[in-house]
Coordinates of all heavy atoms in Angstrom, one line a residue:
M1 N 0.8 -1.2 0.0 CA 0.0 0.0 0.0 C 0.9 1.3 0.0 O 1.7 1.4 0.9 CB -0.9 0.0 1.2 CG -1.7 1.3 1.5 SD -2.6 1.9 0.2 CE -3.8 0.5 0.0
A2 N 0.6 2.1 -0.9 CA 1.4 3.4 -1.0 C 1.0 4.3 0.1 O -0.2 4.3 0.5 CB 1.1 4.0 -2.4
E3 N 2.0 5.1 0.6 CA 1.6 6.1 1.6 C 1.5 7.4 0.9 O 2.0 7.7 -0.2 CB 2.7 6.2 2.6 CG 2.8 4.9 3.4 CD 3.6 5.1 4.7 OE1 4.6 5.8 4.7 OE2 3.1 4.6 5.8
V4 N 0.7 8.3 1.5 CA 0.5 9.6 0.9 C 0.6 10.7 2.0 O 0.3 10.5 3.2 CB -1.0 9.6 0.3 CG1 -2.0 9.4 1.4 CG2 -1.3 11.0 -0.4
K5 N 1.2 11.8 1.6 CA 1.3 13.0 2.5 C 0.0 13.7 2.4 O -0.3 14.3 1.3 CB 2.5 13.9 2.0 CG 2.6 15.2 2.8 CD 3.8 15.2 3.7 CE 4.1 16.6 4.3 NZ 3.0 17.3 4.9
C6 N -0.7 13.7 3.5 CA -2.1 14.1 3.4 C -2.2 15.6 3.7 O -1.6 16.2 4.6 CB -2.9 13.4 4.5 SG -4.6 13.8 4.7
V7 N -3.0 16.3 2.8 CA -3.1 17.8 2.9 C -4.1 18.1 4.0 O -4.2 19.3 4.4 CB -3.6 18.4 1.6 CG1 -2.5 18.3 0.5 CG2 -4.9 17.9 1.1
H8 N -4.9 17.1 4.5 CA -5.9 17.4 5.6 C -5.2 17.3 7.0 O -5.4 18.2 7.8 CB -7.0 16.5 5.5 CG -8.1 16.7 6.5 ND1 -8.9 17.8 6.5 CD2 -8.5 15.9 7.5 CE1 -9.7 17.7 7.5 NE2 -9.5 16.6 8.2
C9 N -4.5 16.2 7.3 CA -4.0 16.1 8.6 C -2.5 16.4 8.6 O -1.9 16.5 9.7 CB -4.2 14.6 9.1 SG -3.4 13.4 8.1
G10 N -1.9 16.5 7.5 CA -0.4 16.8 7.4 C 0.5 15.7 7.7 O 1.7 15.8 7.6
M11 N -0.1 14.5 7.9 CA 0.8 13.3 8.1 C 0.9 12.5 6.9 O 0.2 12.6 6.0 CB 0.1 12.5 9.2 CG 0.2 13.1 10.6 SD -0.2 12.0 11.9 CE -1.9 12.3 12.1
T12 N 2.0 11.7 6.9 CA 2.2 10.7 5.8 C 1.6 9.3 6.3 O 2.2 8.8 7.3 CB 3.6 10.6 5.4 OG1 4.1 11.9 5.0 CG2 3.8 9.6 4.3
R13 N 0.6 8.9 5.7 CA -0.1 7.7 6.2 C -0.5 6.9 5.0 O -0.4 7.3 3.9 CB -1.3 8.0 7.1 CG -1.0 8.8 8.3 CD -2.1 8.7 9.3 NE -3.1 9.7 9.2 CZ -3.9 10.0 10.2 NH1 -3.7 9.4 11.4 NH2 -4.8 10.9 10.1
E14 N -1.1 5.7 5.3 CA -1.6 4.8 4.3 C -2.7 5.5 3.5 O -3.5 6.2 4.0 CB -2.2 3.6 4.9 CG -1.3 2.4 4.7 CD -2.0 1.1 5.2 OE1 -3.2 0.9 5.0 OE2 -1.2 0.2 5.7
G15 N -2.6 5.3 2.2 CA -3.6 6.0 1.3 C -5.0 5.3 1.3 O -5.2 4.5 2.1
I16 N -5.8 5.8 0.4 CA -7.2 5.3 0.3 C -7.3 4.0 -0.5 O -6.6 3.9 -1.5 CB -8.0 6.4 -0.4 CG1 -8.0 7.7 0.4 CG2 -9.5 5.9 -0.6 CD1 -8.5 8.9 -0.3
T17 N -8.0 3.1 0.0 CA -8.4 1.9 -0.8 C -9.8 2.0 -1.2 O -10.6 2.6 -0.4 CB -8.1 0.6 0.0 OG1 -8.8 0.7 1.3 CG2 -6.7 0.4 0.3
G18 N -10.1 1.5 -2.3 CA -11.5 1.5 -2.8 C -11.9 2.8 -3.5 O -11.1 3.6 -3.9
Y19 N -13.2 2.9 -3.7 CA -13.8 3.9 -4.6 C -13.7 5.3 -4.0 O -14.0 5.4 -2.8 CB -15.2 3.5 -4.9 CG -15.9 4.5 -5.8 CD1 -15.6 4.6 -7.1 CD2 -16.9 5.3 -5.2 CE1 -16.3 5.5 -7.9 CE2 -17.6 6.2 -6.0 CZ -17.3 6.3 -7.4 OH -18.0 7.2 -8.1
A20 N -13.4 6.3 -4.8 CA -13.3 7.6 -4.3 C -13.9 8.6 -5.4 O -13.1 9.4 -5.8 CB -11.9 8.0 -3.8
Y21 N -15.1 8.4 -5.8 CA -15.8 9.2 -6.7 C -15.4 9.0 -8.2 O -16.0 9.6 -9.1 CB -15.7 10.7 -6.4 CG -16.3 11.1 -5.0 CD1 -15.6 11.8 -4.1 CD2 -17.6 10.6 -4.7 CE1 -16.1 12.1 -2.9 CE2 -18.1 10.9 -3.5 CZ -17.4 11.6 -2.5 OH -17.9 11.9 -1.3
G22 N -14.3 8.3 -8.4 CA -14.0 7.9 -9.8 C -13.2 9.0 -10.6 O -13.2 10.2 -10.2
G23 N -12.6 8.6 -11.7 CA -12.1 9.5 -12.7 C -10.9 10.3 -12.1 O -10.2 9.9 -11.2
Q24 N -10.8 11.5 -12.7 CA -9.7 12.4 -12.3 C -9.8 12.9 -10.9 O -8.7 13.0 -10.2 CB -9.7 13.6 -13.3 CG -8.4 14.3 -13.4 CD -8.4 15.5 -14.3 OE1 -9.3 15.6 -15.2 NE2 -7.6 16.5 -14.1
L25 N -11.0 13.1 -10.4 CA -11.2 13.5 -9.0 C -10.6 12.4 -8.1 O -10.0 12.7 -7.1 CB -12.7 13.7 -8.8 CG -13.0 14.2 -7.3 CD1 -12.3 15.5 -7.0 CD2 -14.5 14.3 -7.2
E26 N -10.9 11.2 -8.4 CA -10.4 10.1 -7.5 C -8.9 10.1 -7.5 O -8.3 9.9 -6.4 CB -11.0 8.7 -8.0 CG -10.4 7.6 -7.3 CD -11.2 6.3 -7.4 OE1 -12.4 6.4 -7.5 OE2 -10.6 5.2 -7.4
A27 N -8.3 10.2 -8.7 CA -6.8 10.3 -8.7 C -6.3 11.4 -7.9 O -5.3 11.2 -7.1 CB -6.4 10.4 -10.2
E28 N -6.9 12.6 -7.9 CA -6.5 13.7 -7.1 C -6.7 13.4 -5.6 O -5.8 13.7 -4.8 CB -7.3 15.0 -7.5 CG -6.8 16.2 -6.9 CD -7.7 17.4 -7.1 OE1 -8.6 17.4 -8.0 OE2 -7.4 18.5 -6.4
I29 N -7.8 12.9 -5.3 CA -8.1 12.6 -3.8 C -7.1 11.6 -3.3 O -6.5 11.8 -2.3 CB -9.5 12.1 -3.7 CG1 -10.6 13.1 -4.0 CG2 -9.7 11.5 -2.3 CD1 -12.0 12.6 -4.1
K30 N -6.8 10.6 -4.1 CA -5.9 9.5 -3.6 C -4.5 10.0 -3.6 O -3.7 9.4 -2.8 CB -6.0 8.3 -4.6 CG -7.4 7.6 -4.3 CD -7.4 6.3 -5.1 CE -8.6 5.5 -4.6 NZ -8.8 4.2 -5.3
S31 N -4.1 11.1 -4.3 CA -2.8 11.6 -4.2 C -2.6 12.6 -3.1 O -1.5 13.0 -2.7 CB -2.4 12.2 -5.6 OG -3.0 13.4 -5.7
K32 N -3.7 13.0 -2.5 CA -3.6 14.1 -1.5 C -4.2 13.8 -0.1 O -3.9 14.5 0.9 CB -4.4 15.3 -2.0 CG -3.7 16.0 -3.2 CD -4.5 17.2 -3.6 CE -3.8 18.0 -4.7 NZ -4.6 19.0 -5.3
I33 N -5.0 12.7 0.0 CA -5.7 12.5 1.2 C -5.4 11.0 1.7 O -5.4 10.1 0.9 CB -7.2 12.6 1.0 CG1 -7.6 14.0 0.4 CG2 -8.0 12.3 2.3 CD1 -7.3 15.1 1.3
C34 N -5.1 10.9 3.0 CA -4.9 9.6 3.6 C -6.2 8.8 3.9 O -7.2 9.4 3.9 CB -4.0 9.7 4.9 SG -4.9 10.4 6.3
G35 N -6.0 7.5 4.1 CA -7.2 6.7 4.3 C -7.9 7.1 5.5 O -9.2 7.0 5.5
V36 N -7.2 7.5 6.6 CA -7.9 7.8 7.9 C -8.8 9.1 7.6 O -10.0 9.0 8.0 CB -6.9 8.1 9.0 CG1 -7.6 8.6 10.2 CG2 -6.1 6.9 9.3
C37 N -8.3 10.1 7.0 CA -9.1 11.3 6.8 C -10.2 11.0 5.8 O -11.3 11.6 5.9 CB -8.2 12.4 6.2 SG -7.1 13.0 7.5
W38 N -10.0 10.1 4.9 CA -11.1 9.7 3.9 C -12.2 9.1 4.7 O -13.4 9.4 4.4 CB -10.5 8.8 2.8 CG -11.5 8.4 1.8 CD1 -12.0 7.2 1.5 CD2 -12.1 9.4 0.9 NE1 -12.9 7.3 0.5 CE2 -13.0 8.6 0.1 CE3 -12.0 10.7 0.7 CZ2 -13.8 9.2 -0.9 CZ3 -12.8 11.3 -0.3 CH2 -13.7 10.5 -1.1
Q39 N -11.9 8.3 5.6 CA -13.0 7.7 6.4 C -13.8 8.8 7.2 O -15.0 8.7 7.3 CB -12.4 6.6 7.4 CG -11.9 5.3 6.7 CD -13.0 4.7 5.9 OE1 -14.2 4.6 6.2 NE2 -12.6 4.2 4.7
E40 N -13.0 9.7 7.7 CA -13.6 10.9 8.4 C -14.6 11.6 7.5 O -15.7 11.9 7.9 CB -12.6 11.9 8.9 CG -12.0 11.6 10.2 CD -10.9 12.6 10.6 OE1 -11.0 13.8 10.1 OE2 -9.9 12.2 11.2
W41 N -14.1 11.8 6.3 CA -14.9 12.6 5.3 C -16.2 11.8 5.0 O -17.3 12.3 4.8 CB -14.2 12.9 4.0 CG -15.1 13.2 2.9 CD1 -15.3 12.4 1.8 CD2 -16.0 14.3 2.8 NE1 -16.3 13.0 1.0 CE2 -16.7 14.1 1.6 CE3 -16.3 15.4 3.6 CZ2 -17.7 15.0 1.2 CZ3 -17.3 16.3 3.2 CH2 -18.0 16.1 2.1
K42 N -16.0 10.4 4.8 CA -17.2 9.6 4.5 C -18.3 9.8 5.6 O -19.5 9.8 5.2 CB -16.8 8.1 4.3 CG -16.0 8.0 3.0 CD -16.5 6.7 2.2 CE -15.6 5.6 2.5 NZ -15.7 4.5 1.6
G43 N -17.9 9.8 6.8 CA -18.8 10.0 7.9 C -19.5 11.4 7.8 O -20.7 11.5 7.9
M44 N -18.6 12.4 7.5 CA -19.1 13.8 7.4 C -20.0 13.9 6.2 O -21.0 14.6 6.3 CB -17.9 14.7 7.3 CG -18.2 16.2 7.2 SD -19.0 16.8 8.7 CE -17.6 16.7 9.8
S45 N -19.7 13.2 5.1 CA -20.5 13.4 3.9 C -21.9 12.9 4.1 O -22.9 13.5 3.6 CB -19.9 12.6 2.7 OG -20.0 11.2 2.9
I46 N -22.1 11.9 5.0 CA -23.5 11.4 5.3 C -24.3 12.5 6.0 O -25.4 12.8 5.7 CB -23.4 10.1 6.1 CG1 -22.8 9.0 5.3 CG2 -24.8 9.8 6.7 CD1 -22.4 7.8 6.0
K47 N -23.6 13.2 6.9 CA -24.2 14.3 7.6 C -24.6 15.4 6.7 O -25.7 16.0 6.8 CB -23.3 14.9 8.7 CG -23.1 14.0 9.9 CD -22.3 14.6 11.0 CE -21.8 13.5 12.0 NZ -20.7 14.0 12.7
I48 N -23.7 15.8 5.8 CA -23.9 16.8 4.8 C -25.1 16.5 3.9 O -26.0 17.3 3.6 CB -22.7 17.1 4.0 CG1 -21.6 17.8 4.9 CG2 -23.0 18.0 2.8 CD1 -20.3 17.9 4.3
I49 N -25.1 15.2 3.4 CA -26.2 14.8 2.5 C -27.5 14.9 3.2 O -28.5 15.4 2.6 CB -25.9 13.3 2.1 CG1 -24.8 13.3 1.1 CG2 -27.2 12.7 1.4 CD1 -24.2 11.9 0.9
N50 N -27.6 14.6 4.5 CA -28.8 14.7 5.3 C -29.2 16.2 5.5 O -30.3 16.6 5.4 CB -28.7 14.0 6.6 CG -28.7 12.5 6.4 OD1 -29.3 11.9 5.4 ND2 -28.1 11.7 7.3
E51 N -28.2 16.9 5.9 CA -28.4 18.3 6.2 C -28.9 19.1 5.0 O -29.8 19.9 5.1 CB -27.1 18.9 6.8 CG -27.3 20.3 7.4 CD -26.0 20.8 8.0 OE1 -25.2 20.0 8.5 OE2 -25.8 22.1 7.9
Y52 N -28.3 18.9 3.9 CA -28.6 19.6 2.7 C -29.7 18.9 1.9 O -30.1 19.4 0.8 CB -27.4 19.9 1.8 CG -26.4 20.9 2.3 CD1 -25.5 20.5 3.3 CD2 -26.3 22.2 1.8 CE1 -24.6 21.4 3.8 CE2 -25.4 23.1 2.3 CZ -24.6 22.7 3.3 OH -23.6 23.6 3.8
R53 N -30.1 17.7 2.3 CA -31.1 16.9 1.6 C -30.6 16.7 0.2 O -31.4 16.9 -0.8 CB -32.5 17.5 1.7 CG -32.9 17.6 3.2 CD -34.4 17.7 3.3 NE -34.7 17.7 4.7 CZ -35.5 18.6 5.3 NH1 -36.0 19.6 4.6 NH2 -35.7 18.5 6.6
L54 N -29.4 16.3 0.0 CA -28.9 16.1 -1.4 C -29.4 14.8 -2.0 O -29.3 13.8 -1.3 CB -27.3 16.1 -1.3 CG -26.7 17.4 -0.8 CD1 -25.2 17.2 -0.8 CD2 -27.1 18.6 -1.6
D55 N -29.8 14.9 -3.2 CA -30.1 13.7 -4.0 C -28.9 13.5 -5.0 O -28.7 14.3 -5.9 CB -31.4 14.0 -4.8 CG -31.7 12.9 -5.8 OD1 -30.9 11.9 -5.8 OD2 -32.7 13.1 -6.6
L56 N -28.2 12.5 -4.7 CA -26.9 12.3 -5.5 C -27.1 11.8 -6.9 O -26.2 11.7 -7.6 CB -26.0 11.3 -4.7 CG -25.5 11.9 -3.3 CD1 -24.5 11.0 -2.7 CD2 -24.9 13.3 -3.5
N57 N -28.4 11.6 -7.3 CA -28.7 11.4 -8.7 C -28.7 12.7 -9.4 O -28.8 12.7 -10.7 CB -30.0 10.6 -8.9 CG -29.9 9.2 -8.3 OD1 -28.9 8.5 -8.5 ND2 -30.9 8.8 -7.5
D58 N -28.8 13.8 -8.7 CA -28.9 15.1 -9.2 C -27.4 15.7 -9.4 O -26.7 15.8 -8.4 CB -29.7 16.0 -8.3 CG -29.7 17.5 -8.7 OD1 -29.1 17.8 -9.7 OD2 -30.3 18.2 -8.0
P59 N -27.0 16.0 -10.6 CA -25.6 16.5 -10.8 C -25.3 17.7 -10.0 O -24.2 17.9 -9.5 CB -25.6 16.8 -12.3 CG -26.7 16.0 -12.9 CD -27.7 15.9 -11.9
H60 N -26.3 18.6 -9.8 CA -26.1 19.8 -9.0 C -25.8 19.4 -7.5 O -24.9 20.0 -6.9 CB -27.3 20.7 -9.1 CG -27.1 22.0 -8.3 ND1 -26.2 22.9 -8.6 CD2 -27.7 22.4 -7.2 CE1 -26.3 23.9 -7.8 NE2 -27.2 23.7 -6.9
A61 N -26.5 18.5 -7.0 CA -26.3 18.0 -5.6 C -24.9 17.4 -5.5 O -24.2 17.6 -4.5 CB -27.4 17.0 -5.3
N62 N -24.5 16.7 -6.5 CA -23.2 16.1 -6.5 C -22.1 17.1 -6.4 O -21.1 17.0 -5.7 CB -23.0 15.2 -7.8 CG -22.9 13.8 -7.4 OD1 -22.1 13.4 -6.6 ND2 -23.7 13.0 -8.1
K63 N -22.3 18.2 -7.2 CA -21.4 19.3 -7.2 C -21.2 20.0 -5.8 O -20.1 20.3 -5.4 CB -21.9 20.3 -8.3 CG -20.8 21.4 -8.7 CD -21.2 22.0 -10.0 CE -20.2 23.1 -10.3 NZ -20.6 24.4 -9.7
I64 N -22.4 20.2 -5.2 CA -22.4 20.7 -3.8 C -21.6 19.8 -2.9 O -20.7 20.3 -2.1 CB -23.8 20.9 -3.3 CG1 -24.5 22.0 -4.1 CG2 -23.8 21.2 -1.8 CD1 -26.0 22.1 -3.8
L65 N -21.8 18.5 -3.0 CA -21.1 17.6 -2.1 C -19.6 17.6 -2.4 O -18.8 17.6 -1.4 CB -21.6 16.2 -2.3 CG -21.0 15.1 -1.3 CD1 -21.5 15.4 0.1 CD2 -21.4 13.7 -1.7
I66 N -19.2 17.7 -3.6 CA -17.7 17.8 -4.0 C -17.1 19.1 -3.4 O -16.0 19.1 -2.9 CB -17.5 17.7 -5.5 CG1 -18.1 16.3 -6.0 CG2 -16.1 17.9 -5.9 CD1 -17.4 15.1 -5.4
E67 N -17.9 20.2 -3.5 CA -17.4 21.5 -3.0 C -17.2 21.4 -1.5 O -16.2 21.8 -1.0 CB -18.4 22.6 -3.3 CG -18.2 23.1 -4.8 CD -19.4 24.0 -5.2 OE1 -20.2 24.4 -4.3 OE2 -19.4 24.4 -6.4
Q68 N -18.2 20.7 -0.8 CA -18.1 20.5 0.6 C -16.8 19.7 1.0 O -16.1 19.9 1.9 CB -19.3 19.9 1.2 CG -20.6 20.8 1.1 CD -20.5 21.9 2.1 OE1 -20.0 21.8 3.2 NE2 -21.0 23.1 1.6
M69 N -16.6 18.7 0.2 CA -15.5 17.8 0.4 C -14.2 18.5 0.2 O -13.3 18.4 1.1 CB -15.6 16.6 -0.6 CG -14.4 15.6 -0.5 SD -14.1 14.7 -2.0 CE -13.4 16.0 -3.0
R70 N -14.1 19.3 -0.8 CA -12.8 20.1 -1.0 C -12.6 21.0 0.1 O -11.5 21.2 0.6 CB -12.9 20.9 -2.3 CG -12.8 20.0 -3.6 CD -12.7 20.8 -4.8 NE -12.5 20.0 -6.0 CZ -11.3 19.5 -6.4 NH1 -10.3 19.7 -5.7 NH2 -11.3 18.8 -7.5
A71 N -13.6 21.7 0.6 CA -13.5 22.6 1.8 C -13.1 21.8 3.0 O -12.1 22.2 3.7 CB -14.8 23.3 2.0
Y72 N -13.7 20.7 3.2 CA -13.4 19.9 4.4 C -12.0 19.3 4.4 O -11.3 19.4 5.4 CB -14.5 18.8 4.6 CG -14.2 17.9 5.8 CD1 -14.6 18.3 7.1 CD2 -13.6 16.6 5.6 CE1 -14.4 17.5 8.2 CE2 -13.4 15.8 6.7 CZ -13.8 16.3 8.0 OH -13.5 15.5 9.1
L73 N -11.6 18.8 3.3 CA -10.3 18.1 3.2 C -9.2 19.0 2.9 O -8.0 18.6 2.7 CB -10.4 17.0 2.2 CG -11.3 15.8 2.5 CD1 -11.4 14.9 1.4 CD2 -10.8 15.1 3.8
N74 N -9.4 20.4 2.8 CA -8.4 21.3 2.5 C -7.8 21.0 1.1 O -6.6 21.0 0.9 CB -7.3 21.3 3.6 CG -6.3 22.4 3.4 OD1 -6.6 23.4 2.9 ND2 -5.1 22.1 3.9
M75 N -8.7 20.8 0.2 CA -8.3 20.4 -1.2 C -8.9 21.4 -2.2 O -10.0 21.1 -2.7 CB -8.7 19.0 -1.4 CG -7.8 18.2 -2.4 SD -8.4 16.5 -2.5 CE -9.8 16.7 -3.6
P76 N -8.3 22.5 -2.4 CA -9.0 23.5 -3.2 C -9.2 23.0 -4.7 O -8.5 22.1 -5.1 CB -8.0 24.7 -3.3 CG -7.0 24.5 -2.2 CD -7.0 23.0 -1.9
S77 N -10.2 23.6 -5.3 CA -10.6 23.2 -6.6 C -9.4 23.3 -7.6 O -8.6 24.2 -7.5 CB -11.7 24.1 -7.2 OG -11.9 23.8 -8.5
A78 N -9.3 22.3 -8.5 CA -8.2 22.3 -9.5 C -8.5 23.2 -10.6 O -7.7 23.4 -11.5 CB -8.0 20.9 -9.9
E79 N -9.7 23.8 -10.7 CA -10.1 24.6 -11.8 C -9.1 25.8 -11.9 O -8.8 26.5 -11.0 CB -11.5 25.2 -11.6 CG -12.6 24.2 -12.1 CD -13.9 24.7 -11.6 OE1 -14.1 25.9 -11.6 OE2 -14.8 23.9 -11.3
G80 N -8.6 26.0 -13.2 CA -7.7 27.1 -13.4 C -6.3 26.7 -13.2 O -5.4 27.5 -13.5
Q81 N -6.0 25.6 -12.6 CA -4.6 25.2 -12.3 C -4.2 24.4 -13.6 O -4.9 23.7 -14.2 CB -4.5 24.3 -11.1 CG -4.7 25.1 -9.8 CD -4.6 24.2 -8.6 OE1 -4.2 23.0 -8.7 NE2 -5.0 24.7 -7.5
P82 N -2.9 24.5 -13.8 CA -2.3 23.7 -14.9 C -2.5 22.2 -14.6 O -2.3 21.8 -13.5 CB -0.9 24.1 -15.0 CG -0.6 24.8 -13.7 CD -1.9 25.3 -13.2
K83 N -2.8 21.4 -15.6 CA -3.0 20.0 -15.4 C -1.6 19.3 -15.3 O -0.7 19.6 -16.0 CB -3.7 19.4 -16.6 CG -5.1 20.0 -16.6 CD -6.2 18.9 -16.8 CE -7.6 19.4 -16.4 NZ -8.1 20.2 -17.4
Ligands
ZN1 ZN1 -5.0 12.7 6.6

């Protein structure tokens, strides 16, 4: 298992195993967030989904959740950054 220097907790720990939203976002998350913080976020995301009453079949709701995730995990949007 590869280790990752996590931007949320600042520690170098075991990375994420399993699904993390897929695609380029998943690659970004897995390169920046450790497995422990990811589990924290998963718990938090359930609260956010309930609080905002997000329907994850709705692309707009998904976008809100991703924005919340970036804020929570200290992972600013990649928009405008060089790829
Ligand atoms: Zn972490």
Side-chain angles (χ1 to χ4, degrees):
M1 169 55 63
E3 294 198 319
V4 60
K5 174 113 172 44
C6 177
V7 297
H8 181 67
C9 64
M11 290 193 265
T12 299
R13 300 202 270 201
E14 256 187 32
I16 298 163
T17 51
Y19 178 73
Y21 300 129
Q24 201 180 337
L25 181 62
E26 174 160 329
E28 187 186 350
I29 292 167
K30 287 187 170 179
S31 72
K32 290 182 178 171
I33 305 298
C34 72
V36 175
C37 292
W38 183 243
Q39 289 304 320
E40 273 178 31
W41 161 249
K42 287 223 265 197
M44 182 63 69
S45 71
I46 291 164
K47 289 182 193 161
I48 290 169
I49 288 163
N50 288 334
E51 193 178 323
Y52 289 77
R53 299 198 176 131
L54 298 179
D55 172 5
L56 296 184
N57 295 316
D58 173 0
H60 181 66
N62 247 308
K63 194 161 174 276
I64 291 169
L65 186 66
I66 298 302
E67 280 168 8
Q68 293 289 325
M69 180 201 72
R70 286 187 178 281
Y72 179 78
L73 292 175
N74 190 27
M75 210 176 78
S77 172
E79 276 170 35
Q81 289 180 10
K83 293 227 164 78

